[in-house]
Amino acid sequence: MSETHFGLTGLAVMGQNLARNVAHKGFPIAVHNRTTEKTETFLAEHGSEGQFTGSTSVEEFVNALTPPRAIMIMVKAGKPVDDVIAEIKPFLAKGDLLIDGGNSLFTDTERRVKELEAEGLRFLGTGVSGGEEGALNGPSIMPGGSQEAYAIVEPIFTKISAQVNGEPCCTFIGAGGAGHYVKMVHNGIEYADMQLIAEAYDLLKNGLGLTNEELHEVFTQWNAGDLDSFLIEITAQIFARKDDDSDGYLVDKVLDKAAQKGTGKWTSQSSLDLGIPVTAITEAVFARCLSSFKDQRVAASKILPGPTGGKIEGDRQQFIDDVRDALYASKVVAYAQGFDQMIAAAKEHGWTLNLGAIATIWRGGCIIRARFLDRIKEAYDAQPDLANLLLAPYFTEAVGNGQTGWRRVISEAARLGIPVPAFSSSLAYYDGYRRANLPANLIQAQRDLFGAHTYERTDKPGNFHSQWVE
């Protein structure tokens, strides 16, 4: 048996599937879990799939690896990661590498990189996207830390990642917490994408009256065009799934309370710190928060007045096409905002981010993989200093062509009382971004009047303060 340099601790489903993926690609791997029973069960079920070495203690686990060791930690973000590091560290040698493959907050990763490098150890904060299936069959991998640390695991990561047109969906992202930051923004875009699809569903079902069978057909058709993506594909599949426990479709039995694990919120919080408007992502986070108020919403539905029972009038197919255009345009805005945030974060933290490469590794394995990521890569390849994706010719034309339907959809939603916060905020951002003049001059005048905050003038440079009331 060849030497084993790579190990993984944390054998929940994601950890198990990543370990199996590593073994399937021909790399020997040591595995460990805090509870020995889980390790034994894993080896009993999957031990024949590759060269696995199990262990019953942290010391045995680390000693099963040949230096330089590379150990991937797959546990819940936060204190559990620090606890695992503290358990493993006494058995490591200088030059060994620890890898956090969970959804950790990037500031925690920055701290861990500094602390461990000061002790002669290496650390990578690595975003892994693709869920359970991606972990097993090829995820998108976003490692951040040092180039030297990444070089240790590059042969493994590039092999186990998803492959698109012969290219691995893995690349070194940048120093410190850059990998986890990019994964965080990825998840924020995912929040927006899912909310936009949910709003399209609401409009087509409750505004137009489409059945689940018809929704399945519509989303299947959309997935054959510019909206081709993993999320559109699985949405079509969801509408086709019958319920095993009763008549009807399973989606109609799912309670309308959306959960979240925090990465969308972190994206919004960071955007506020940076002063970057990521309105689609933030509205998606708020929509999930509002959905959790189920009991209040049920009570309010019997009290608060609003339009009820109305339906979309006119050409049925035209409205379906309008919703498609609104979804595509809003999706472009969500990605534009996410990439704008990464640009600002790179400046703030001194990272060098290759935005085209990031778009490339999101084309396969990850939850937000979509056809138009190729267009994003092309946009940044053509103009690396592009200020905003909306200014790239392809996206300028695509959003411009879709805005008539986009506006009709939002108008109809308002008329019928169907909430479309992500559609609406995306359009508001688009309209605000394309305006040479905004009413912020009045806001600045108000600030100067009540707080002497000063203002700039349009006709000469400098900061000014005026006595607004005689």
Side-chain angles (χ1 to χ4, degrees), residues 153-353:
V153 290
E154 183 177 9
I156 296 176
F157 279 5
T158 53
K159 190 77 170 178
I160 69 170
S161 67
Q163 310 289 313
V164 176
N165 299 327
E167 295 181 284
C169 292
C170 173
T171 190
F172 178 71
I173 299 298
H180 272 141
Y181 193 93
V182 168
K183 176 57 163 57
M184 178 189 76
V185 174
H186 164 285
N187 285 20
I189 294 171
E190 179 184 312
Y191 273 56
D193 215 342
M194 294 173 73
Q195 176 63 26
L196 291 166
I197 292 171
E199 291 176 14
Y201 156 64
D202 197 5
L203 287 160
L204 295 176
K205 178 183 179 180
N206 296 307
L208 198 57
L210 296 192
T211 64
N212 286 319
E213 295 96 327
E214 290 170 326
L215 287 165
H216 169 72
E217 292 174 5
V218 167
F219 276 80
T220 299
Q221 291 170 3
W222 285 356
N223 197 52
D226 288 337
L227 280 171
D228 173 19
S229 66
F230 172 73
L231 285 171
I232 295 292
E233 177 186 354
I234 66 168
T235 301
Q237 294 168 349
I238 286 169
F239 291 130
R241 179 68 162 83
K242 295 288 186 68
D243 184 25
D244 292 334
D245 298 328
S246 63
D247 294 334
Y249 288 82
L250 183 56
V251 67
D252 297 324
K253 302 298 189 296
V254 178
L255 186 67
D256 58 324
K257 289 174 63 174
Q260 54 184 312
K261 291 186 176 180
T263 46
K265 177 184 71 176
W266 293 344
T267 306
S268 295
Q269 288 172 332
S270 176
S271 75
L272 290 170
D273 290 337
L274 294 168
I276 301 297
V278 293
T279 56
I281 294 170
T282 303
E283 287 293 352
V285 174
F286 285 152
R288 291 197 190 190
C289 295
L290 185 59
S291 78
S292 70
F293 301 158
K294 176 65 174 179
D295 293 341
Q296 291 186 45
R297 290 189 290 109
V298 171
S301 69
K302 302 170 184 176
I303 300 171
L304 299 178
T308 56
K311 292 294 179 183
I312 301 298
E313 300 169 355
D315 189 322
R316 176 185 168 102
Q317 185 57 50
Q318 182 61 60
F319 188 73
I320 293 173
D321 293 343
D322 286 348
V323 173
R324 178 201 61 209
D325 290 347
L327 179 55
Y328 190 71
S330 298
K331 183 184 178 83
V332 170
V333 167
Y335 278 77
Q337 292 176 348
F339 275 82
D340 197 20
Q341 180 170 346
M342 288 190 288
I343 292 170
K347 292 177 182 177
E348 177 75 12
H349 298 285
W351 300 328
T352 301
L353 299 184

Side-chain angles (χ1 to χ4, degrees), residues 447-459:
R447 294 181 72 243
D448 189 53
L449 186 153
F450 67 66
H453 292 294
T454 75
Y455 60 91
E456 295 177 85
R457 294 180 61 97
T458 60
D459 54 356

